Amino acid sequence: GAVVSQHPSWVICKSGTSVKIECRSLDFQATTMFWYRQFPKQSLMLMATSNEGSKATYEQGVEKDKFLINHASLTLSTLTVTSAHPEDSSFYICSAAPGGSNNEQFFGPGTRLTVL
Amino acid sequence: QKEVEQDPGPLSVPEGAIVSLNCTYSNSAFQYFMWYRQYSRKGPELLMYTYSSGNKEDGRFTAQVDKSSKYISLFIRDSQPSDSATYLCAMRRTDSWGKLQFGAGTQVVVTP
């Protein structure tokens, strides 16, 4: 099956610093990747859609200057949380959709971010 | 009102029992329906997806969609302790490829 990895799996940082999270599709090319955020016991909330070689599309209410997304290749997308604050602490999950796929999204294992 | 409603549980069942999960939704434009399984601190794993109304079976899993009632279900037969996880329903419109609306997830505990 298709495998998506995320790095790091968890990160603790100080308030005001920036954190980069990587999402990689290991055995397929992903023209589109998605970034989600999940708070404890809550649903996954789509933050943005990332298309290779173009700007990401952000969902309403998501600050694009705070959550920088780069999709530089067909196998890698990165999410950078800039000037992180404690309220940004959450579980960040990416998913990747193979080219031509209509319904399949393969999810990464998630990255737990804790901002002190 | 949330677009997708799902009882968070927890739902506790004895091993071997049938697990019954469901979601209701309000947007009649949803056409694609999925069920994901998520273990603690892991990403969701796709279990089933169906298009429009009807039933779909895959091994011990059966997914049902009733669009007239805006109600979807997932049944797990012969449940095992390894089925203990959070189950999330998700759905999307035909014109919003990839933009999934998730339910909050139901925590299932299968006791030996």
Side-chain angles (χ1 to χ4, degrees), chain A residues 32 34 36 38 41-44 46 49 59 91 93 97 101-105 107-110 112, chain B residues 8 32 34 36 38 41-46 49 88 92 97-105 107:
Chain A
T32 304
F34 303 90
Y36 294 84
Q38 186 179 33
K41 298 191 181 298
Q42 292 190 27
S43 178
L44 278 77
L46 179 65
T49 302
E59 294 300 300
F91 195 50
I93 305 175
S101 168
N102 198 20
N103 284 308
E104 291 274 22
Q105 280 187 41
F107 284 81
R112 183 160 300 282
Chain B
Y32 293 88
M34 296 89 171
Y36 288 84
Q38 185 177 24
R41 299 178 183 269
K42 300 291 185 183
E45 172 193 8
L46 180 65
Y49 75 84
L88 301 133
R92 71 169 180 88
W97 178 80
K99 286 194 171 185
L100 300 178
Q101 292 292 328
F102 280 87
Q107 183 185 0

Tab-separated table of all heavy atoms in Angstrom, chain A residues 32 34 36 38 41-44 46 49 59 91 93 97 101-105 107-110 112, chain B residues 8 32 34 36 38 41-46 49 88 92 97-105 107:
chain	number	residue	atom	x	y	z
A	32	THR	N	-1.042	16.208	-5.196
A	32	THR	CA	-1.749	17.013	-4.195
A	32	THR	C	-1.512	16.437	-2.811
A	32	THR	O	-1.562	15.227	-2.626
A	32	THR	CB	-3.265	17.040	-4.473
A	32	THR	OG1	-3.491	17.516	-5.804
A	32	THR	CG2	-3.978	17.945	-3.488
A	34	PHE	N	-2.466	17.344	1.448
A	34	PHE	CA	-3.368	18.094	2.310
A	34	PHE	C	-2.772	18.159	3.714
A	34	PHE	O	-2.148	17.217	4.178
A	34	PHE	CB	-4.742	17.410	2.393
A	34	PHE	CG	-5.401	17.205	1.054
A	34	PHE	CD1	-5.184	16.044	0.339
A	34	PHE	CD2	-6.237	18.169	0.527
A	34	PHE	CE1	-5.781	15.839	-0.893
A	34	PHE	CE2	-6.847	17.985	-0.706
A	34	PHE	CZ	-6.613	16.817	-1.418
A	36	TYR	N	-3.815	18.786	7.707
A	36	TYR	CA	-4.919	18.816	8.660
A	36	TYR	C	-4.368	19.124	10.046
A	36	TYR	O	-3.197	18.907	10.347
A	36	TYR	CB	-5.624	17.455	8.722
A	36	TYR	CG	-6.351	17.037	7.478
A	36	TYR	CD1	-5.682	16.415	6.427
A	36	TYR	CD2	-7.729	17.244	7.351
A	36	TYR	CE1	-6.350	16.012	5.286
A	36	TYR	CE2	-8.403	16.839	6.215
A	36	TYR	CZ	-7.708	16.231	5.190
A	36	TYR	OH	-8.378	15.832	4.061
A	38	GLN	N	-5.599	18.460	14.185
A	38	GLN	CA	-6.529	17.712	15.015
A	38	GLN	C	-6.260	18.005	16.476
A	38	GLN	O	-5.170	17.728	16.973
A	38	GLN	CB	-6.408	16.207	14.740
A	38	GLN	CG	-7.443	15.368	15.461
A	38	GLN	CD	-7.310	13.884	15.134
A	38	GLN	OE1	-6.230	13.390	14.906
A	38	GLN	NE2	-8.442	13.177	15.108
A	41	LYS	N	-9.592	14.640	20.878
A	41	LYS	CA	-10.985	14.208	20.831
A	41	LYS	C	-11.828	15.053	19.876
A	41	LYS	O	-13.042	15.149	20.030
A	41	LYS	CB	-11.607	14.220	22.233
A	41	LYS	CG	-10.920	13.264	23.188
A	41	LYS	CD	-11.702	13.106	24.462
A	41	LYS	CE	-10.991	12.169	25.431
A	41	LYS	NZ	-10.848	10.809	24.889
A	42	GLN	N	-11.185	15.657	18.908
A	42	GLN	CA	-11.910	16.424	17.907
A	42	GLN	C	-11.585	15.913	16.507
A	42	GLN	O	-10.677	15.118	16.309
A	42	GLN	CB	-11.567	17.913	18.017
A	42	GLN	CG	-12.070	18.566	19.285
A	42	GLN	CD	-11.929	20.064	19.244
A	42	GLN	OE1	-11.926	20.684	18.184
A	42	GLN	NE2	-11.802	20.679	20.406
A	43	SER	N	-12.361	16.395	15.579
A	43	SER	CA	-12.218	15.940	14.203
A	43	SER	C	-10.990	16.541	13.541
A	43	SER	O	-10.425	17.524	14.022
A	43	SER	CB	-13.470	16.337	13.432
A	43	SER	OG	-13.366	15.953	12.084
A	44	LEU	N	-10.598	15.938	12.429
A	44	LEU	CA	-9.552	16.530	11.605
A	44	LEU	C	-10.134	17.744	10.884
A	44	LEU	O	-11.201	17.671	10.305
A	44	LEU	CB	-9.051	15.539	10.547
A	44	LEU	CG	-8.017	14.518	10.959
A	44	LEU	CD1	-8.662	13.403	11.758
A	44	LEU	CD2	-7.324	13.938	9.738
A	46	LEU	N	-9.321	20.432	7.912
A	46	LEU	CA	-8.452	20.722	6.781
A	46	LEU	C	-7.929	22.148	6.904
A	46	LEU	O	-8.703	23.089	7.091
A	46	LEU	CB	-9.212	20.549	5.468
A	46	LEU	CG	-8.438	20.852	4.188
A	46	LEU	CD1	-7.299	19.847	4.007
A	46	LEU	CD2	-9.367	20.808	2.975
A	49	THR	N	-4.698	22.944	1.081
A	49	THR	CA	-4.437	21.997	0.005
A	49	THR	C	-3.183	22.457	-0.723
A	49	THR	O	-3.079	23.628	-1.112
A	49	THR	CB	-5.617	21.945	-0.967
A	49	THR	OG1	-6.793	21.588	-0.250
A	49	THR	CG2	-5.366	20.948	-2.082
A	59	GLU	N	-7.790	27.078	3.795
A	59	GLU	CA	-9.193	27.103	4.208
A	59	GLU	C	-9.474	28.404	4.966
A	59	GLU	O	-8.565	29.051	5.502
A	59	GLU	CB	-9.513	25.900	5.081
A	59	GLU	CG	-9.412	24.583	4.340
A	59	GLU	CD	-10.350	24.491	3.154
A	59	GLU	OE1	-11.581	24.599	3.352
A	59	GLU	OE2	-9.847	24.328	2.023
A	91	PHE	N	-2.005	18.328	16.890
A	91	PHE	CA	-1.552	17.184	16.105
A	91	PHE	C	-1.739	17.564	14.640
A	91	PHE	O	-2.859	17.835	14.210
A	91	PHE	CB	-2.396	15.959	16.489
A	91	PHE	CG	-1.851	14.635	16.038
A	91	PHE	CD1	-0.534	14.296	16.284
A	91	PHE	CD2	-2.661	13.710	15.400
A	91	PHE	CE1	-0.026	13.062	15.902
A	91	PHE	CE2	-2.161	12.477	15.015
A	91	PHE	CZ	-0.849	12.150	15.257
A	93	ILE	N	-1.472	16.539	10.737
A	93	ILE	CA	-1.465	15.345	9.894
A	93	ILE	C	-1.506	15.766	8.436
A	93	ILE	O	-2.295	16.638	8.062
A	93	ILE	CB	-2.680	14.435	10.183
A	93	ILE	CG1	-2.742	14.074	11.665
A	93	ILE	CG2	-2.626	13.169	9.345
A	93	ILE	CD1	-3.989	13.268	12.028
A	97	ALA	N	-2.415	12.458	-2.108
A	97	ALA	CA	-3.291	11.819	-3.083
A	97	ALA	C	-2.482	11.508	-4.333
A	97	ALA	O	-1.894	12.410	-4.935
A	97	ALA	CB	-4.461	12.736	-3.418
A	101	SER	N	-5.918	9.949	-8.716
A	101	SER	CA	-6.803	9.320	-7.741
A	101	SER	C	-8.032	10.176	-7.507
A	101	SER	O	-7.937	11.391	-7.461
A	101	SER	CB	-6.056	9.117	-6.428
A	101	SER	OG	-6.951	8.773	-5.391
A	102	ASN	N	-9.162	9.538	-7.360
A	102	ASN	CA	-10.390	10.286	-7.124
A	102	ASN	C	-10.773	10.336	-5.658
A	102	ASN	O	-11.278	11.330	-5.171
A	102	ASN	CB	-11.529	9.655	-7.927
A	102	ASN	CG	-12.703	10.593	-8.076
A	102	ASN	OD1	-12.567	11.804	-7.922
A	102	ASN	ND2	-13.860	10.039	-8.347
A	103	ASN	N	-10.527	9.268	-4.948
A	103	ASN	CA	-10.969	9.223	-3.568
A	103	ASN	C	-9.891	8.866	-2.567
A	103	ASN	O	-10.072	9.072	-1.389
A	103	ASN	CB	-12.105	8.211	-3.416
A	103	ASN	CG	-13.403	8.736	-3.953
A	103	ASN	OD1	-13.821	9.810	-3.586
A	103	ASN	ND2	-14.017	7.990	-4.837
A	104	GLU	N	-8.828	8.308	-3.011
A	104	GLU	CA	-7.823	7.838	-2.071
A	104	GLU	C	-6.976	8.973	-1.556
A	104	GLU	O	-6.406	9.748	-2.319
A	104	GLU	CB	-6.906	6.816	-2.761
A	104	GLU	CG	-7.589	5.512	-3.075
A	104	GLU	CD	-7.565	4.542	-1.905
A	104	GLU	OE1	-7.413	4.981	-0.755
A	104	GLU	OE2	-7.685	3.336	-2.152
A	105	GLN	N	-6.927	9.106	-0.259
A	105	GLN	CA	-5.954	9.962	0.402
A	105	GLN	C	-5.241	9.088	1.407
A	105	GLN	O	-5.892	8.425	2.211
A	105	GLN	CB	-6.634	11.117	1.146
A	105	GLN	CG	-7.045	12.284	0.302
A	105	GLN	CD	-7.544	13.443	1.144
A	105	GLN	OE1	-6.989	13.755	2.197
A	105	GLN	NE2	-8.605	14.085	0.679
A	107	PHE	N	-2.835	8.909	4.581
A	107	PHE	CA	-2.455	9.815	5.656
A	107	PHE	C	-1.101	9.451	6.251
A	107	PHE	O	-0.742	8.277	6.354
A	107	PHE	CB	-3.513	9.791	6.762
A	107	PHE	CG	-4.759	10.547	6.397
A	107	PHE	CD1	-5.732	9.967	5.607
A	107	PHE	CD2	-4.948	11.847	6.836
A	107	PHE	CE1	-6.873	10.672	5.252
A	107	PHE	CE2	-6.092	12.561	6.490
A	107	PHE	CZ	-7.048	11.965	5.697
A	108	GLY	N	-0.395	10.478	6.646
A	108	GLY	CA	0.832	10.284	7.394
A	108	GLY	C	0.521	9.970	8.847
A	108	GLY	O	-0.635	10.057	9.276
A	109	PRO	N	1.535	9.625	9.631
A	109	PRO	CA	1.328	9.258	11.027
A	109	PRO	C	1.107	10.437	11.953
A	109	PRO	O	0.770	10.258	13.120
A	109	PRO	CB	2.622	8.517	11.387
A	109	PRO	CG	3.635	9.106	10.475
A	109	PRO	CD	2.914	9.417	9.198
A	110	GLY	N	1.281	11.653	11.440
A	110	GLY	CA	1.033	12.834	12.253
A	110	GLY	C	2.271	13.339	12.972
A	110	GLY	O	3.233	12.598	13.200
A	112	ARG	N	3.092	15.643	16.440
A	112	ARG	CA	2.538	16.324	17.618
A	112	ARG	C	3.428	17.501	17.967
A	112	ARG	O	4.613	17.336	18.249
A	112	ARG	CB	2.444	15.366	18.802
A	112	ARG	CG	1.805	16.020	20.038
A	112	ARG	CD	1.268	14.978	21.005
A	112	ARG	NE	0.260	14.132	20.408
A	112	ARG	CZ	-1.016	14.470	20.208
A	112	ARG	NH1	-1.423	15.666	20.571
A	112	ARG	NH2	-1.860	13.616	19.690
B	8	PRO	N	-19.117	10.652	19.859
B	8	PRO	CA	-17.717	10.364	20.195
B	8	PRO	C	-17.511	9.107	21.031
B	8	PRO	O	-16.373	8.638	21.167
B	8	PRO	CB	-17.293	11.608	20.973
B	8	PRO	CG	-18.561	12.143	21.544
B	8	PRO	CD	-19.619	11.852	20.531
B	32	TYR	N	-19.644	11.331	-1.753
B	32	TYR	CA	-18.636	10.319	-1.463
B	32	TYR	C	-18.504	10.195	0.043
B	32	TYR	O	-18.373	11.193	0.742
B	32	TYR	CB	-17.292	10.710	-2.080
B	32	TYR	CG	-17.297	10.693	-3.584
B	32	TYR	CD1	-17.679	11.811	-4.315
B	32	TYR	CD2	-16.929	9.543	-4.291
B	32	TYR	CE1	-17.703	11.798	-5.691
B	32	TYR	CE2	-16.941	9.528	-5.671
B	32	TYR	CZ	-17.331	10.665	-6.367
B	32	TYR	OH	-17.354	10.643	-7.737
B	34	MET	N	-16.681	8.035	3.329
B	34	MET	CA	-15.570	7.185	3.736
B	34	MET	C	-15.607	6.892	5.220
B	34	MET	O	-16.189	7.650	6.006
B	34	MET	CB	-14.215	7.882	3.449
B	34	MET	CG	-13.925	8.148	2.003
B	34	MET	SD	-14.583	9.764	1.533
B	34	MET	CE	-13.865	9.921	-0.099
B	36	TYR	N	-12.698	5.879	8.181
B	36	TYR	CA	-11.289	5.743	8.514
B	36	TYR	C	-11.154	5.174	9.920
B	36	TYR	O	-11.985	5.410	10.795
B	36	TYR	CB	-10.579	7.105	8.477
B	36	TYR	CG	-10.364	7.669	7.095
B	36	TYR	CD1	-11.367	8.381	6.441
B	36	TYR	CD2	-9.153	7.488	6.437
B	36	TYR	CE1	-11.164	8.908	5.176
B	36	TYR	CE2	-8.945	8.015	5.169
B	36	TYR	CZ	-9.960	8.720	4.552
B	36	TYR	OH	-9.755	9.238	3.296
B	38	GLN	N	-8.453	5.167	13.116
B	38	GLN	CA	-7.300	5.891	13.629
B	38	GLN	C	-6.909	5.338	14.986
B	38	GLN	O	-7.678	5.407	15.947
B	38	GLN	CB	-7.590	7.394	13.734
B	38	GLN	CG	-6.381	8.225	14.148
B	38	GLN	CD	-6.658	9.723	14.180
B	38	GLN	OE1	-7.807	10.149	14.324
B	38	GLN	NE2	-5.605	10.527	14.030
B	41	ARG	N	-2.544	8.415	18.394
B	41	ARG	CA	-1.329	9.097	17.958
B	41	ARG	C	-0.835	8.620	16.587
B	41	ARG	O	0.365	8.671	16.291
B	41	ARG	CB	-0.221	8.970	19.002
B	41	ARG	CG	-0.592	9.602	20.336
B	41	ARG	CD	0.499	9.417	21.372
B	41	ARG	NE	0.105	9.965	22.667
B	41	ARG	CZ	0.355	11.198	23.058
B	41	ARG	NH1	1.001	12.020	22.250
B	41	ARG	NH2	-0.034	11.616	24.244
B	42	LYS	N	-1.752	8.159	15.763
B	42	LYS	CA	-1.412	7.736	14.407
B	42	LYS	C	-2.321	8.441	13.420
B	42	LYS	O	-3.354	8.997	13.787
B	42	LYS	CB	-1.573	6.214	14.254
B	42	LYS	CG	-0.711	5.402	15.185
B	42	LYS	CD	0.758	5.517	14.827
B	42	LYS	CE	1.602	4.600	15.701
B	42	LYS	NZ	3.042	4.767	15.413
B	43	GLY	N	-1.941	8.397	12.146
B	43	GLY	CA	-2.784	8.973	11.119
B	43	GLY	C	-3.945	8.047	10.767
B	43	GLY	O	-3.887	6.846	11.017
B	44	PRO	N	-5.017	8.587	10.203
B	44	PRO	CA	-6.167	7.757	9.816
B	44	PRO	C	-5.825	6.797	8.674
B	44	PRO	O	-5.010	7.106	7.809
B	44	PRO	CB	-7.196	8.796	9.344
B	44	PRO	CG	-6.749	10.098	9.899
B	44	PRO	CD	-5.260	10.012	9.970
B	45	GLU	N	-6.490	5.662	8.694
B	45	GLU	CA	-6.315	4.635	7.672
B	45	GLU	C	-7.666	4.402	7.010
B	45	GLU	O	-8.654	4.152	7.694
B	45	GLU	CB	-5.802	3.351	8.325
B	45	GLU	CG	-5.760	2.149	7.421
B	45	GLU	CD	-5.545	0.868	8.209
B	45	GLU	OE1	-5.575	0.901	9.446
B	45	GLU	OE2	-5.350	-0.183	7.577
B	46	LEU	N	-7.704	4.495	5.687
B	46	LEU	CA	-8.961	4.307	4.979
B	46	LEU	C	-9.441	2.860	5.070
B	46	LEU	O	-8.710	1.930	4.753
B	46	LEU	CB	-8.800	4.702	3.508
B	46	LEU	CG	-10.045	4.561	2.632
B	46	LEU	CD1	-11.148	5.519	3.093
B	46	LEU	CD2	-9.702	4.809	1.172
B	49	TYR	N	-14.922	3.109	1.340
B	49	TYR	CA	-15.547	4.292	0.765
B	49	TYR	C	-16.656	3.855	-0.178
B	49	TYR	O	-16.572	2.817	-0.821
B	49	TYR	CB	-14.543	5.210	0.083
B	49	TYR	CG	-14.016	4.753	-1.254
B	49	TYR	CD1	-14.722	4.987	-2.440
B	49	TYR	CD2	-12.784	4.122	-1.317
B	49	TYR	CE1	-14.202	4.582	-3.651
B	49	TYR	CE2	-12.266	3.716	-2.529
B	49	TYR	CZ	-12.976	3.956	-3.696
B	49	TYR	OH	-12.460	3.549	-4.893
B	88	LEU	N	-13.521	7.258	12.206
B	88	LEU	CA	-13.956	8.558	11.708
B	88	LEU	C	-14.726	8.389	10.410
B	88	LEU	O	-14.254	7.678	9.509
B	88	LEU	CB	-12.756	9.463	11.427
B	88	LEU	CG	-11.821	9.763	12.589
B	88	LEU	CD1	-10.388	9.591	12.166
B	88	LEU	CD2	-12.013	11.178	13.045
B	92	ARG	N	-17.465	13.997	1.129
B	92	ARG	CA	-17.156	15.156	0.317
B	92	ARG	C	-18.167	15.302	-0.808
B	92	ARG	O	-18.867	14.352	-1.153
B	92	ARG	CB	-15.743	15.055	-0.270
B	92	ARG	CG	-15.570	14.025	-1.358
B	92	ARG	CD	-14.228	14.201	-2.042
B	92	ARG	NE	-13.996	13.243	-3.103
B	92	ARG	CZ	-14.362	13.416	-4.371
B	92	ARG	NH1	-15.013	14.513	-4.726
B	92	ARG	NH2	-14.086	12.491	-5.279
B	97	TRP	N	-13.071	17.791	-4.812
B	97	TRP	CA	-12.154	16.651	-4.720
B	97	TRP	C	-11.120	16.882	-3.629
B	97	TRP	O	-10.442	17.909	-3.615
B	97	TRP	CB	-11.454	16.447	-6.058
B	97	TRP	CG	-10.485	15.341	-6.030
B	97	TRP	CD1	-10.760	14.017	-6.126
B	97	TRP	CD2	-9.062	15.438	-5.879
B	97	TRP	NE1	-9.591	13.287	-6.050
B	97	TRP	CE2	-8.538	14.136	-5.904
B	97	TRP	CE3	-8.188	16.509	-5.730
B	97	TRP	CZ2	-7.188	13.858	-5.787
B	97	TRP	CZ3	-6.826	16.239	-5.614
B	97	TRP	CH2	-6.349	14.925	-5.639
B	98	GLY	N	-11.002	15.916	-2.759
B	98	GLY	CA	-9.991	15.973	-1.724
B	98	GLY	C	-10.403	16.712	-0.472
B	98	GLY	O	-9.820	16.519	0.579
B	99	LYS	N	-11.407	17.553	-0.540
B	99	LYS	CA	-11.799	18.330	0.643
B	99	LYS	C	-12.790	17.508	1.455
B	99	LYS	O	-13.988	17.557	1.249
B	99	LYS	CB	-12.424	19.654	0.228
B	99	LYS	CG	-11.430	20.675	-0.273
B	99	LYS	CD	-12.067	22.043	-0.347
B	99	LYS	CE	-11.033	23.110	-0.625
B	99	LYS	NZ	-11.616	24.458	-0.584
B	100	LEU	N	-12.251	16.774	2.385
B	100	LEU	CA	-13.079	15.901	3.194
B	100	LEU	C	-13.592	16.621	4.426
B	100	LEU	O	-12.865	17.369	5.077
B	100	LEU	CB	-12.271	14.675	3.634
B	100	LEU	CG	-11.697	13.791	2.516
B	100	LEU	CD1	-10.895	12.650	3.123
B	100	LEU	CD2	-12.804	13.258	1.636
B	101	GLN	N	-14.849	16.357	4.756
B	101	GLN	CA	-15.423	16.813	6.018
B	101	GLN	C	-15.482	15.598	6.936
B	101	GLN	O	-16.122	14.606	6.616
B	101	GLN	CB	-16.825	17.376	5.808
B	101	GLN	CG	-16.856	18.677	5.024
B	101	GLN	CD	-16.252	19.816	5.804
B	101	GLN	OE1	-16.330	19.867	7.030
B	101	GLN	NE2	-15.635	20.754	5.096
B	102	PHE	N	-14.802	15.702	8.056
B	102	PHE	CA	-14.717	14.576	8.970
B	102	PHE	C	-15.714	14.718	10.111
B	102	PHE	O	-16.017	15.829	10.559
B	102	PHE	CB	-13.317	14.488	9.575
B	102	PHE	CG	-12.296	13.861	8.683
B	102	PHE	CD1	-11.586	14.622	7.767
B	102	PHE	CD2	-12.031	12.504	8.763
B	102	PHE	CE1	-10.640	14.037	6.944
B	102	PHE	CE2	-11.082	11.913	7.944
B	102	PHE	CZ	-10.384	12.678	7.037
B	103	GLY	N	-16.189	13.576	10.599
B	103	GLY	CA	-16.878	13.553	11.873
B	103	GLY	C	-15.849	13.590	12.989
B	103	GLY	O	-14.643	13.478	12.749
B	104	ALA	N	-16.322	13.740	14.204
B	104	ALA	CA	-15.410	13.863	15.349
B	104	ALA	C	-14.744	12.540	15.707
B	104	ALA	O	-13.726	12.519	16.396
B	104	ALA	CB	-16.159	14.409	16.554
B	105	GLY	N	-15.310	11.441	15.208
B	105	GLY	CA	-14.740	10.139	15.522
B	105	GLY	C	-15.419	9.486	16.702
B	105	GLY	O	-15.792	10.153	17.668
B	107	GLN	N	-14.822	6.528	19.529
B	107	GLN	CA	-13.834	5.629	20.130
B	107	GLN	C	-14.494	4.285	20.419
B	107	GLN	O	-15.533	4.211	21.070
B	107	GLN	CB	-13.289	6.221	21.423
B	107	GLN	CG	-12.212	5.382	22.075
B	107	GLN	CD	-11.769	5.922	23.421
B	107	GLN	OE1	-12.266	6.944	23.893
B	107	GLN	NE2	-10.824	5.247	24.044
